[in-house]
Amino acid sequence: MKKRKFLLFTALMLVLSMVLAACGGGDSKEEGGGEGKSEEKPKYMSILTGGTGGTYFPLGGSFAKIVSDATGVSTNAETTGASAENMQSIKDNKGEIAFTQTDIASYATEGKLMFDGNKIENIKAIGTLYPETIQIVTTEKSGIKSVEDLKGKKVSIGAPGSGTAANAEQILEVYGLSLDDIEKQDLSFDESVNGIKDGNIDAAFVTAGTPTAAVEELSATEKVVIVPVEADKAEELIEKYPYYAKEVVPSGTYKLGSEVPTVAVLAMLVVKADLSEDLVYDITKSIFENLDQVTHAKAKQIKPENALNGVGIEVHAGAQKYYDEKGIKAAE
């Protein structure tokens, strides 16, 4: 009898422990794209940016300080190969916040192009920031004046893992060219500029906010030429790839005598989906309400009221909470 009571008591305790374990499981992080599952703040966060010659890195440095001060979480900006690499790094848990292009974020979440068979499901948007201008950079002495002139030339299309390569391929496409028509080089912005300076390459695609540090550096010693993307070709590109928009490189930028027509995508910030709603709210609020602390010229184009325009992927609940409080909605 005593043995039977003991066995019954043991069985009840086992059932109770299983129930408690199941109830407690909701606080653990989920695999994949579960949002806001971790209520604990991480001790450290990385903002994945791009190369030192682009716009992401200096902005990321300013954002890291702002976020650290606001959240108490030690946050650092890291140099990377930019957009596509950053998406993969988020998937691989190598960073918590990342800069990317809107088109690349869409490819990642849909498993298209460079993410074919490698869908990224654990990213959510904080919001868009500013136009990422596609600049086809060369010098006057190269003799290159049009996209057609790139045929047969040594042309950098950006670092491996960057979003610039997709932009280059799509722009060449609307001009009836392909990557096979150029001597393709896979170089970072800094490497591209040095290659142009040294005469090792003829031109480079640079997708970044203007002015771009690496191109400004080039303009100090060379007469920079930005190859135009004419209006009819821009319209053809936008019709096929709607995430593009018409843009210009303003007169005076890189000592240009007149503005140059081109196209742009948007820069955006994304986060790991499982960061808590409260933390992402604090990150979003701190960045958009402390832009006066950002010295880079691009900060003037970053406005919270535009942050939901062109996002293209799901917005994190913490960021959405901030926009809802401010009455911010995506443009119709």
Side-chain angles (χ1 to χ4, degrees):
M1 188 71 177
K2 287 182 179 180
K3 184 176 181 181
R4 185 180 299 172
K5 286 182 178 179
F6 175 78
L7 290 173
L8 180 60
F9 175 79
T10 301
L12 286 170
M13 290 302 293
L14 179 61
V15 170
L16 180 60
S17 66
M18 290 173 68
V19 169
L20 289 172
C23 291
D27 291 332
S28 63
K29 290 186 180 181
E30 292 185 359
E31 296 294 327
E35 182 175 317
K37 298 299 180 184
S38 176
E39 295 303 321
E40 290 186 10
K41 284 185 180 180
K43 293 180 180 178
Y44 176 86
M45 291 191 295
S46 291
I47 300 181
L48 307 175
T49 64
T52 55
T55 305
Y56 290 171
F57 182 69
L59 281 179
S62 296
F63 289 175
K65 183 179 186 308
I66 289 168
V67 170
S68 294
D69 291 345
T71 65
V73 179
S74 179
T75 306
N76 189 50
E78 295 187 13
T79 59
T80 70
S83 296
E85 180 182 308
N86 290 351
M87 298 300 89
Q88 185 62 46
S89 293
I90 292 285
K91 181 177 183 178
D92 296 339
N93 296 312
K94 294 179 180 176
E96 289 71 34
I97 308 169
F99 284 80
T100 188
Q101 296 170 200
T102 47
D103 53 336
I104 301 304
S106 293
Y107 298 152
T109 57
E110 294 168 7
K112 293 180 177 178
L113 293 183
M114 69 282 284
F115 297 100
D116 187 19
N118 183 33
K119 195 173 182 180
I120 311 292
E121 298 182 312
N122 68 329
I123 62 169
K124 303 285 185 190
I126 283 183
T128 55
L129 301 172
Y130 58 84
E132 284 266 52
T133 308
I134 290 87
Q135 305 162 74
I136 308 172
V137 182
T138 187
T139 60
E140 189 176 56
K141 66 185 180 185
S142 75
I144 297 170
K145 297 179 180 178
S146 67
V147 174
E148 291 93 341
D149 290 340
L150 296 175
K151 188 171 183 178
K153 298 293 196 299
K154 291 181 180 178
V155 182
S156 171
I157 63 167
S162 72
T164 307
N167 303 141
E169 189 168 6
Q170 290 160 356
I171 288 171
L172 290 171
E173 178 190 347
V174 298
Y175 280 89
L177 300 172
S178 73
L179 296 179
D180 293 334
D181 292 311
I182 63 173
E183 291 189 41
K184 179 176 73 72
Q185 311 290 312
D186 303 297
L187 306 174
S188 71
F189 296 161
D190 287 326
E191 291 168 337
S192 296
V193 165
N194 288 331
I196 292 172
K197 276 183 186 175
D198 298 339
N200 295 324
I201 65 171
D202 302 299
F205 281 81
V206 173
T207 301
T210 57
T212 307
V215 187
E216 281 193 307
E217 182 184 334
L218 180 63
S219 71
T221 57
E222 302 281 351
K223 185 155 186 177
V224 166
V225 171
I226 303 296
V227 178
V229 177
E230 295 89 352
D232 59 331
K233 294 299 183 182
E235 288 163 9
E236 187 179 337
L237 185 71
I238 293 164
E239 185 175 352
K240 188 163 187 179
Y241 304 105
Y243 38 75
Y244 284 100
K246 288 182 180 179
E247 184 61 275
V248 297
V249 179
S251 173
T253 308
Y254 317 130
K255 303 177 185 175
L256 296 173
S258 59
E259 71 177 27
V260 179
T262 185
V263 290
V265 288
L266 289 170
M268 70 185 298
L269 278 179
V270 300
V271 290
K272 281 183 66 181
D274 64 359
L275 291 184
S276 74
E277 180 176 327
D278 288 344
L279 178 58
V280 176
Y281 171 85
D282 289 340
I283 291 169
T284 308
K285 181 184 173 93
S286 67
I287 289 172
F288 283 115
E289 297 191 359
N290 289 283
L291 290 168
D292 59 331
Q293 297 181 28
V294 182
T295 57
H296 194 281
K298 232 10 157 185
K300 294 177 182 176
Q301 293 188 28
I302 303 172
K303 302 181 189 304
E305 56 266 31
N306 297 332
L308 293 175
N309 297 341
V311 168
I313 67 171
E314 189 175 343
V315 177
H316 193 287
Q320 189 62 56
K321 179 181 176 182
Y322 173 74
Y323 300 131
D324 289 346
E325 282 184 359
K326 296 293 182 181
I328 294 169
K329 296 181 180 180
E332 293 293 330

